[in-house]
Amino acid sequence: MDMLRTAIVGASGYSGEELLRVLLGHPRVEVATIVSRSLEGTPPATALPPLAPLMPPDLAFENLSPGDLAARADLDCVFLALPHGVAAEFAVPLRAAGKVVIDLSADFRLNEAAVYEEFYGTAHPAPELLGEAVYGLPELHRDAIRGAGLIAAPGCYPTSIILGLAPALQAGLIDPATIVANSISGSTGAGRKADARLLLPEVAENLYAYGVPKHRHLSEIEQELSALAGRGVVITFIPHLGPLARGIQTSITANLSKELDQSAAEETYHQRFQGEPFVHVHAAPALPAVKNVVRTNRIELAVRVDPRTRRLLIFACEDNLGKGAATQAVQAMNVRFGLPETEGLPL
Amino acid sequence: MDMLRTAIVGASGYSGEELLRVLLGHPRVEVATIVSRSLEGTPPATALPPLAPLMPPDLAFENLSPGDLAARADLDCVFLALPHGVAAEFAVPLRAAGKVVIDLSADFRLNEAAVYEEFYGTAHPAPELLGEAVYGLPELHRDAIRGAGLIAAPGCYPTSIILGLAPALQAGLIDPATIVANSISGSTGAGRKADARLLLPEVAENLYAYGVPKHRHLSEIEQELSALAGRGVVITFIPHLGPLARGIQTSITANLSKELDQSAAEETYHQRFQGEPFVHVHAAPALPAVKNVVRTNRIELAVRVDPRTRRLLIFACEDNLGKGAATQAVQAMNVRFGLPETEGLPL
Amino acid sequence: MDMLRTAIVGASGYSGEELLRVLLGHPRVEVATIVSRSLEGTPPATALPPLAPLMPPDLAFENLSPGDLAARADLDCVFLALPHGVAAEFAVPLRAAGKVVIDLSADFRLNEAAVYEEFYGTAHPAPELLGEAVYGLPELHRDAIRGAGLIAAPGCYPTSIILGLAPALQAGLIDPATIVANSISGSTGAGRKADARLLLPEVAENLYAYGVPKHRHLSEIEQELSALAGRGVVITFIPHLGPLARGIQTSITANLSKELDQSAAEETYHQRFQGEPFVHVHAAPALPAVKNVVRTNRIELAVRVDPRTRRLLIFACEDNLGKGAATQAVQAMNVRFGLPETEGLPL
Amino acid sequence: MDMLRTAIVGASGYSGEELLRVLLGHPRVEVATIVSRSLEGTPPATALPPLAPLMPPDLAFENLSPGDLAARADLDCVFLALPHGVAAEFAVPLRAAGKVVIDLSADFRLNEAAVYEEFYGTAHPAPELLGEAVYGLPELHRDAIRGAGLIAAPGCYPTSIILGLAPALQAGLIDPATIVANSISGSTGAGRKADARLLLPEVAENLYAYGVPKHRHLSEIEQELSALAGRGVVITFIPHLGPLARGIQTSITANLSKELDQSAAEETYHQRFQGEPFVHVHAAPALPAVKNVVRTNRIELAVRVDPRTRRLLIFACEDNLGKGAATQAVQAMNVRFGLPETEGLPL
């Protein structure tokens, strides 16, 4: 059995660490190198103690330039866990060298450079690659991922909102102009950065909305929802930071566009995700809970028809570092390289 | 200076304990008795250690029947921190005996017994008192509270939603048919009850929606919003339980019913609550945070106009045991008895 | 490859749930039945949602009597995750029927029935089995476990204290009469029981000592330490409940009984646990942290020589539900049945 | 009634914020200025939102040099909430100008400059002031504080350990050579600094020892314990960081030096602290808990005689920002300026 040879660039962040954890345990993957400027010279077991027992003795952080990394002949697949903008600097030479790139940043999630510029405030760093990039949500784009050279792993909030709405939009159950999505994220979502506003005493026993009314993730959310609805979709999205480390809870409402009862709504969702190993649709009265999905690649969904308001209520829970980032990227890798889709992934 | 002589019935719950804390420190109040069946015979300092240093040596839990309590000549005002249904058993004889009653349960919040029965699933226990009961939200019903014999302290979620929407509805800024409210509550909101689903390992690092689509609090929310809008209002309300002890964060959206920019929206809110000592309206870009208001009687609000969706976004944070329950009840007491409204209350 | 056929009795508690999680993922184990009186009739996926995706469709909670369970011919190994006293009721017929029993309760940890009675306040329920029972700490009793029919999985606190002290006592580094152990446990250690004192608002942002000066776990701790020291050992043990769900941190001090420097102390510990897959001894300046070991079967240790006081300081971290309970029980099962010791266990 | 005119230098840290909260609510104090280099120009209500409603409209952060502050004629008392070393830079000119200085740093807690150098690693910045500095623990040094010009507010850990041991040492109950103290602190104890190791995901669900075997606080602890014992005392002190924002729990053991039963031990503690408004000694079986004392100036104590080991066990809980820092500094201010000792302080 051949092993896939992979690299992780940016292994010091929360998504990078989670990616490393999963890849080190993946039976078909070898982690050939981990690239980190800040951790060069630090033994990985010291930098990331929870991963110490999984770490091969010869694995060390390297500080490789994009060019040097692209020149390595031994890599099949490179994961980029870097800030947007920086990711593109690596993606360009890696793609030129023919490596498969799975990027966890926002750099290649949008089809249009102009939308990137509108939401990220700078010109797109590599617009020539947008055409080949595939949005890495296997439940929507499995076939395209199979042949992709550049896979853009979705954002954490977008995963929960897009998968939550996909069945309703595809089946025409709701009016896309009335969508309101509220999400609460654990604080790993803000990244592992030295910021006094994210210290435990600031975040514990606290909860607040932020990033309204135009959070960056709206760009990829609306792109994907528009494709699902077959028309332009603009939504309200309100993200919140909550006093937990990991997890996202999303609650979505939209006006029903047709008569629908609870069992028909559930049935639509069950059918849409039948056979999807990582999507679980609860039957009422059960509702998703973050605790059920933390440290997994699962997303849990539930729907409720509210006859009082004639709205559909949709609930989704996922791990922002799991299905919302690192493990979803590995799921995409499995798809891309023809491995069993659940291989090496926590259910 | 005369002291108001008060009693608390149900001091063993979270709201009751908070009420006791505030009343023990209130310069114009004497706590004449605390009634608790379960804690009779337990020294208050043992039952409620954080309150030990505030506790007068002669204060003890008494197990008084409604009739015995009503017969006590030395009480001016009785607080009921009891489950709905049980509260009415005390309210009836207390009102017959002429005591001012401030009830923290849901028993007297609704104008119509039929709505109570619809939402609470049993016939109203004392419909004859509904006519005299006043909904105890001072920012809306200050004058009525001044003359009231029976004050129904609002629910925790309703306080945040009603105050959050009041300016917009009164000024006609939004379409009431499009209101969607999402709230996250700390777990004291579920009460101090022996329930294994509320243990720390179940709630910490967890977050989930519940009580959808027809939570009981909708009954009082829609009653008050309808009065504010001058027409029947039905809304979507999604409550969530979050991994914190205290606090409520509420995010509300509604379609704008007129052209409006951010500064006009803020101005409407600032004017509506000008002079209100316990309502703080943030100027953008600031947003409310639970941490700012925990252990206070304050509610923080903010509004955002979203030109992309032509919606108004409204944010509110309060302490579910403070402005959402106990301290708001004391604020109503201050109003009722002509004391300075901020007397004895944490800002 | 033959599969070991196992049963779990008491799968509704925290240890039982963790045991079920690990056994469901163990490549050499089949969970033939899960016994729970309280959950009979509840679908396992509903009772334990985080385990839903791992659950075989035909697995259901059964309410089996000790005799009925013992009569089942298809079981190789039965795990008892029950309160002390109740465990013995199952162990007796199971042993009579020749099943291997791994008991997570305290019923068979002590060699002497009189000590059980002293610490647990009742006569031992099955003293005739004490002779064959083996204390299931593989790092100390691996050989005895290999042939055992009745394995008593160690308590959570004892695991950290006994493994923490074993090298020092065996090498004669410290005076056993001077041992003081302080431990802080996550609140799963108190069990999944409906107790209002363990609600999140009571435990979060709180921390306190309890169970002093004679916690029940002292009985097994002192039994094992005495065996290691070759003389009777009596220690001070102070347990604390902390605001976390899982994990134990233990700090131990004892007077040095000989001249010793830091590197010699570390070397003693490294040598003692060389080759142990689940014991990690940190080199100074690193110290154990709960975060590193939660959800694993690992225990982390560190030692410090304090020249100012001529004491040895010993630090240990483990997951109270992992190495302190469920996964350690599975480690013992692996040893007992000749499987690779790390099989199916999280490193 | 004259108002005390005060300044706070370093109001942006956790102790400084807490100090500001208490002084703004103190009926006999006016906060004349708040000095912060980093917050100059930021409205205090924006920098510290929870304090917004208490903030006088004309209070602003000023960036004053030590000399400029010392030159202000309108100040009676200056609080320094600064890192050690920096505090002395302000203390010198302030004392030269005759201001009363209450320093929350470690700069003036030690009687001997050599001990400072040993534990803090640099020469003492103002050894000439050590002679006049008083260790600001009112329960031990009330008389000296009354006449002091320079008061060194004790460290957080030392407060719990020194008050916990004072009765036992003064009454000769224990052998001072056998003292072992274990403390767990909330993470505000590490300060409000941008450090990725203190982010919520690093600290929540985590717990670890640090700073062993020679934490800086040992210097002041041993100084005060030696004075109490009348001989040189060297102890073991193990600090831990726990997953809570505020609070310290300390557990201490020492060998009994005489026959003693539980009631005699309790009686010694009760008598020693009789009349102390901020020290509560629990009667067995009650034990201190962090939750009881957070946001107060109280310390709770309990003692247990362990007949098995002939040791005394001592337990203490306090708020590290309250009795362990800010409110204790205000208590010292009350003593120094002849105000009622409990004035303006949370019980």
Side-chain angles (χ1 to χ4, degrees):
Chain A
M1 184 174 69
D2 280 350
M3 299 291 273
L4 258 179
R5 292 183 54 85
T6 65
I8 300 173
V9 189
S12 65
Y14 285 123
S15 290
E17 177 181 0
E18 195 63 17
L19 201 49
L20 183 54
R21 178 198 313 271
V22 174
L23 292 179
L24 287 174
H26 194 296
R28 298 291 298 277
V29 165
E30 181 189 337
V31 180
T33 185
I34 45 179
V35 178
S36 169
R37 190 162 39 184
S38 63
L39 292 177
E40 190 190 12
T42 308
T46 302
L48 304 169
L51 303 190
L54 308 171
M55 209 81 78
D58 57 341
L59 190 64
F61 290 110
E62 297 185 85
N63 182 6
L64 297 177
S65 70
D68 288 348
L69 186 69
R72 284 188 50 157
D74 63 338
L75 298 174
D76 302 306
C77 178
V78 177
F79 290 88
L80 304 178
L82 294 166
H84 67 88
V86 185
E89 294 174 22
F90 280 85
V92 171
L94 285 165
R95 286 303 301 140
K99 312 294 187 202
V100 172
V101 173
I102 302 181
D103 176 24
L104 281 76
S105 87
D107 276 353
F108 300 103
R109 294 175 188 160
L110 301 176
N111 300 331
E112 297 178 36
V115 178
Y116 184 92
E117 186 162 351
E118 176 191 349
F119 279 85
Y120 290 88
T122 57
H124 193 282
E128 69 279 13
L129 289 181
L130 290 180
E132 68 160 304
V134 172
Y135 193 72
L137 199 51
E139 290 79 7
L140 292 192
H141 301 294
R142 189 168 279 119
D143 286 343
I145 293 169
R146 283 202 182 97
L150 174 54
I151 297 166
C156 51
Y157 291 125
T159 295
S160 69
I161 296 171
I162 297 164
L163 289 180
L165 282 162
L169 287 174
Q170 291 181 309
L173 306 185
I174 55 171
D175 174 0
T178 63
I179 296 170
V180 173
N182 276 261
S183 296
I184 308 116
S185 172
S187 69
T188 49
R192 182 181 264 156
K193 59 188 172 213
D195 182 337
R197 293 169 303 178
L198 297 171
L199 299 178
L200 179 136
E202 307 303 311
V203 179
E205 293 291 319
N206 200 1
L207 217 151
Y208 49 84
Y210 71 97
V212 286
K214 199 179 170 186
H215 189 276
R216 286 169 168 178
H217 279 178
L218 275 166
S219 53
E220 56 182 291
I221 293 168
E222 294 176 350
Q223 167 183 289
E224 296 297 308
L225 297 187
S226 297
L228 288 162
R231 50 178 269 204
V233 175
V234 178
I235 75 161
T236 295
F237 166 52
I238 306 180
H240 303 73
L241 194 76
L244 62 173
R246 298 168 72 135
I248 282 181
Q249 202 283 341
T250 290
S251 296
I252 308 171
T253 58
N255 291 356
L256 290 169
S257 56
K258 57 169 71 166
E259 286 297 321
L260 193 75
D261 65 12
Q262 177 65 25
S263 66
E266 270 187 29
E267 183 58 22
T268 302
Y269 273 69
H270 278 296
Q271 285 191 5
R272 174 62 183 82
F273 291 122
Q274 198 170 16
E276 286 293 348
F278 295 114
V279 184
H280 177 72
V281 180
H282 281 286
L287 286 167
V290 163
K291 183 175 190 283
N292 299 346
V293 295
V294 163
R295 294 170 192 272
T296 78
N297 191 46
R298 244 182 309 146
I299 182 168
E300 288 192 345
L301 300 174
V303 286
R304 286 292 183 286
V305 169
D306 180 7
R308 299 172 73 252
T309 58
R310 294 185 40 82
R311 292 195 183 114
L312 189 67
L313 280 49
I314 306 162
F315 305 93
C317 285
E318 60 169 34
D319 185 340
N320 61 305
L321 298 180
K323 183 65 176 164
T327 55
Q328 176 149 272
V330 176
Q331 183 186 356
M333 179 202 78
N334 286 342
V335 172
R336 169 61 182 79
F337 288 94
L339 303 173
E341 193 162 331
T342 58
E343 189 86 17
L345 287 172
L347 279 172
Chain B
M1 185 173 71
D2 281 350
M3 299 292 272
L4 259 179
R5 291 182 57 85
T6 65
I8 300 174
V9 189
S12 66
Y14 285 123
S15 291
E17 178 181 0
E18 195 64 16
L19 200 48
L20 183 53
R21 179 198 313 270
V22 174
L23 292 179
L24 288 174
H26 194 295
R28 299 292 297 278
V29 165
E30 180 189 336
V31 179
T33 185
I34 45 179
V35 177
S36 169
R37 191 163 37 187
S38 63
L39 293 176
E40 190 189 14
T42 309
T46 302
L48 304 168
L51 304 189
L54 308 170
M55 210 80 80
D58 58 340
L59 191 63
F61 290 110
E62 297 186 86
N63 182 6
L64 297 176
S65 70
D68 288 348
L69 186 69
R72 286 191 45 160
D74 63 337
L75 297 175
D76 302 307
C77 179
V78 176
F79 290 89
L80 304 178
L82 294 166
H84 67 90
V86 184
E89 294 174 22
F90 279 85
V92 171
L94 286 165
R95 285 306 300 141
K99 311 295 188 203
V100 172
V101 172
I102 302 180
D103 176 24
L104 280 76
S105 88
D107 276 354
F108 301 102
R109 294 175 188 160
L110 301 175
N111 300 330
E112 297 178 36
V115 178
Y116 184 93
E117 188 163 348
E118 177 191 349
F119 279 85
Y120 290 87
T122 57
H124 193 281
E128 69 279 11
L129 289 181
L130 290 179
E132 66 159 305
V134 172
Y135 194 71
L137 198 50
E139 290 78 6
L140 291 191
H141 301 294
R142 190 167 280 119
D143 287 343
I145 293 169
R146 282 201 183 98
L150 174 53
I151 298 166
C156 52
Y157 291 124
T159 296
S160 69
I161 295 171
I162 298 165
L163 289 180
L165 282 163
L169 287 174
Q170 290 182 310
L173 306 185
I174 56 172
D175 174 0
T178 63
I179 296 170
V180 173
N182 277 261
S183 295
I184 308 116
S185 172
S187 68
T188 50
R192 181 182 265 157
K193 59 188 172 214
D195 183 338
R197 294 169 301 179
L198 298 171
L199 299 178
L200 180 135
E202 307 303 312
V203 180
E205 292 293 318
N206 198 0
L207 217 152
Y208 50 84
Y210 71 98
V212 286
K214 199 178 170 187
H215 189 276
R216 286 169 168 179
H217 280 178
L218 274 167
S219 54
E220 55 181 291
I221 293 168
E222 293 178 351
Q223 168 182 287
E224 296 297 309
L225 297 186
S226 297
L228 288 162
R231 51 178 268 204
V233 174
V234 177
I235 75 161
T236 294
F237 166 53
I238 305 180
H240 303 74
L241 194 75
L244 64 172
R246 298 168 72 138
I248 282 180
Q249 203 283 342
T250 290
S251 295
I252 308 169
T253 57
N255 292 355
L256 289 170
S257 56
K258 56 168 70 166
E259 287 296 322
L260 192 75
D261 65 11
Q262 176 64 24
S263 67
E266 269 187 31
E267 183 59 20
T268 301
Y269 272 70
H270 279 296
Q271 285 191 5
R272 174 61 184 82
F273 290 123
Q274 196 170 18
E276 285 294 348
F278 295 114
V279 184
H280 177 72
V281 180
H282 281 286
L287 286 166
V290 162
K291 183 176 190 282
N292 299 346
V293 295
V294 164
R295 294 170 194 272
T296 78
N297 191 45
R298 244 183 307 146
I299 183 168
E300 288 191 345
L301 300 174
V303 287
R304 286 292 184 285
V305 169
D306 179 7
R308 298 173 73 254
T309 58
R310 293 185 41 82
R311 291 195 185 115
L312 188 67
L313 279 48
I314 306 163
F315 304 93
C317 284
E318 60 170 34
D319 186 340
N320 61 306
L321 298 180
K323 183 65 176 165
T327 56
Q328 176 149 272
V330 175
Q331 183 187 356
M333 179 203 76
N334 285 343
V335 172
R336 168 60 183 78
F337 288 95
L339 303 173
E341 195 162 329
T342 58
E343 189 85 18
L345 287 171
L347 278 172
Chain C
M1 184 174 70
D2 280 351
M3 298 292 273
L4 259 179
R5 291 182 57 84
T6 65
I8 300 173
V9 189
S12 65
Y14 284 123
S15 291
E17 178 181 359
E18 195 63 18
L19 200 49
L20 183 53
R21 178 198 313 270
V22 174
L23 292 179
L24 287 174
H26 194 296
R28 300 290 298 277
V29 165
E30 180 189 337
V31 179
T33 184
I34 45 178
V35 178
S36 168
R37 192 162 38 185
S38 63
L39 293 176
E40 190 189 13
T42 308
T46 302
L48 303 170
L51 303 190
L54 309 171
M55 209 80 81
D58 57 341
L59 190 63
F61 290 110
E62 297 186 86
N63 182 7
L64 296 177
S65 70
D68 288 347
L69 187 68
R72 285 190 47 158
D74 62 338
L75 297 175
D76 302 306
C77 178
V78 177
F79 290 88
L80 305 179
L82 294 166
H84 67 89
V86 184
E89 294 174 22
F90 279 86
V92 171
L94 285 165
R95 285 304 300 139
K99 311 294 187 204
V100 172
V101 173
I102 302 181
D103 176 23
L104 281 76
S105 87
D107 276 353
F108 301 102
R109 295 175 188 159
L110 301 176
N111 300 331
E112 298 179 36
V115 178
Y116 184 92
E117 188 163 350
E118 176 191 348
F119 279 85
Y120 289 88
T122 57
H124 193 282
E128 68 279 12
L129 290 181
L130 291 179
E132 67 159 306
V134 172
Y135 193 72
L137 199 51
E139 290 79 7
L140 292 192
H141 301 294
R142 189 168 279 119
D143 286 343
I145 293 169
R146 282 202 182 99
L150 174 54
I151 298 167
C156 51
Y157 291 124
T159 296
S160 69
I161 295 171
I162 297 165
L163 289 180
L165 281 162
L169 287 174
Q170 290 181 310
L173 306 185
I174 55 172
D175 174 0
T178 63
I179 296 170
V180 173
N182 277 260
S183 296
I184 307 116
S185 172
S187 68
T188 49
R192 183 183 262 156
K193 60 188 171 213
D195 182 337
R197 292 169 302 180
L198 297 171
L199 299 178
L200 180 136
E202 308 303 312
V203 180
E205 293 292 320
N206 199 1
L207 217 150
Y208 49 84
Y210 71 97
V212 285
K214 198 177 170 187
H215 188 276
R216 285 169 168 177
H217 280 177
L218 275 166
S219 53
E220 56 182 290
I221 293 168
E222 293 177 350
Q223 166 183 290
E224 296 297 309
L225 297 187
S226 297
L228 288 163
R231 51 178 268 207
V233 175
V234 178
I235 75 161
T236 295
F237 167 52
I238 306 180
H240 303 73
L241 194 75
L244 62 173
R246 297 168 73 136
I248 281 182
Q249 201 284 340
T250 290
S251 296
I252 308 170
T253 57
N255 291 355
L256 290 169
S257 55
K258 58 168 71 166
E259 286 297 323
L260 192 76
D261 66 11
Q262 177 63 26
S263 66
E266 268 187 30
E267 183 58 20
T268 301
Y269 273 70
H270 278 296
Q271 285 190 4
R272 174 62 184 81
F273 291 122
Q274 198 170 17
E276 286 293 349
F278 295 114
V279 184
H280 177 73
V281 180
H282 280 286
L287 286 166
V290 163
K291 184 176 189 283
N292 298 346
V293 294
V294 163
R295 294 169 192 273
T296 77
N297 191 46
R298 244 183 308 147
I299 183 168
E300 288 191 345
L301 301 174
V303 286
R304 287 291 184 286
V305 169
D306 180 8
R308 298 172 73 252
T309 58
R310 294 185 40 82
R311 292 195 183 115
L312 188 67
L313 280 49
I314 306 163
F315 305 94
C317 284
E318 61 170 33
D319 186 339
N320 60 306
L321 298 180
K323 182 65 177 165
T327 56
Q328 175 148 272
V330 176
Q331 182 186 356
M333 179 202 78
N334 286 343
V335 172
R336 169 62 183 77
F337 288 95
L339 303 174
E341 194 162 330
T342 58
E343 188 86 15
L345 287 171
L347 278 171
Chain D
M1 186 171 73
D2 281 350
M3 299 291 273
L4 260 178
R5 291 182 57 83
T6 65
I8 300 173
V9 189
S12 65
Y14 285 123
S15 291
E17 178 181 359
E18 195 63 16
L19 200 48
L20 183 54
R21 178 198 313 269
V22 174
L23 292 179
L24 287 173
H26 194 296
R28 300 291 298 276
V29 164
E30 181 189 337
V31 179
T33 185
I34 44 179
V35 178
S36 169
R37 191 163 37 187
S38 63
L39 293 176
E40 190 189 13
T42 309
T46 301
L48 304 169
L51 303 190
L54 309 170
M55 211 79 81
D58 57 341
L59 190 64
F61 290 110
E62 298 186 85
N63 182 6
L64 296 178
S65 71
D68 288 348
L69 186 69
R72 284 190 48 158
D74 63 338
L75 297 174
D76 302 307
C77 178
V78 176
F79 290 89
L80 305 178
L82 295 166
H84 68 88
V86 184
E89 294 175 22
F90 279 86
V92 170
L94 285 164
R95 284 306 299 141
K99 311 295 187 202
V100 172
V101 172
I102 302 181
D103 176 24
L104 281 77
S105 87
D107 276 351
F108 301 103
R109 294 175 188 160
L110 301 175
N111 301 332
E112 297 178 38
V115 178
Y116 184 93
E117 188 163 348
E118 176 191 349
F119 279 85
Y120 289 88
T122 57
H124 193 282
E128 69 280 11
L129 288 182
L130 290 179
E132 68 158 306
V134 171
Y135 194 71
L137 198 51
E139 290 79 7
L140 291 192
H141 302 294
R142 190 168 279 119
D143 287 344
I145 293 169
R146 283 202 182 97
L150 174 55
I151 298 167
C156 52
Y157 291 124
T159 296
S160 69
I161 295 170
I162 297 165
L163 289 180
L165 282 162
L169 287 174
Q170 290 181 310
L173 306 184
I174 56 171
D175 174 0
T178 62
I179 296 169
V180 173
N182 277 260
S183 296
I184 308 116
S185 173
S187 68
T188 49
R192 181 183 264 156
K193 59 188 172 213
D195 182 337
R197 293 168 302 178
L198 298 170
L199 299 178
L200 180 136
E202 307 303 312
V203 180
E205 292 292 319
N206 199 0
L207 217 151
Y208 50 83
Y210 71 98
V212 285
K214 198 177 170 188
H215 188 277
R216 286 169 168 179
H217 279 179
L218 275 166
S219 55
E220 56 181 295
I221 292 168
E222 293 177 349
Q223 168 182 288
E224 296 297 309
L225 296 187
S226 297
L228 288 162
R231 50 178 268 204
V233 174
V234 178
I235 75 163
T236 295
F237 166 53
I238 306 180
H240 304 73
L241 194 76
L244 62 172
R246 298 168 71 135
I248 281 181
Q249 203 283 341
T250 290
S251 296
I252 308 171
T253 57
N255 292 355
L256 289 169
S257 55
K258 57 168 71 168
E259 287 296 322
L260 192 75
D261 66 10
Q262 176 65 25
S263 67
E266 270 188 29
E267 183 59 21
T268 301
Y269 273 70
H270 278 296
Q271 285 190 6
R272 174 61 184 83
F273 290 123
Q274 198 170 17
E276 286 294 348
F278 295 114
V279 183
H280 177 72
V281 180
H282 281 286
L287 286 166
V290 163
K291 184 177 188 282
N292 299 345
V293 294
V294 163
R295 294 169 193 273
T296 78
N297 191 45
R298 245 183 308 147
I299 183 168
E300 288 191 344
L301 300 174
V303 286
R304 286 292 184 286
V305 169
D306 179 8
R308 298 173 72 254
T309 58
R310 293 185 42 80
R311 291 197 184 114
L312 188 67
L313 280 48
I314 306 163
F315 305 93
C317 285
E318 60 169 34
D319 185 341
N320 61 306
L321 298 179
K323 183 64 175 165
T327 57
Q328 176 149 271
V330 176
Q331 183 186 356
M333 179 202 77
N334 285 344
V335 171
R336 169 59 183 79
F337 288 96
L339 302 174
E341 193 162 330
T342 58
E343 190 84 17
L345 287 170
L347 278 171

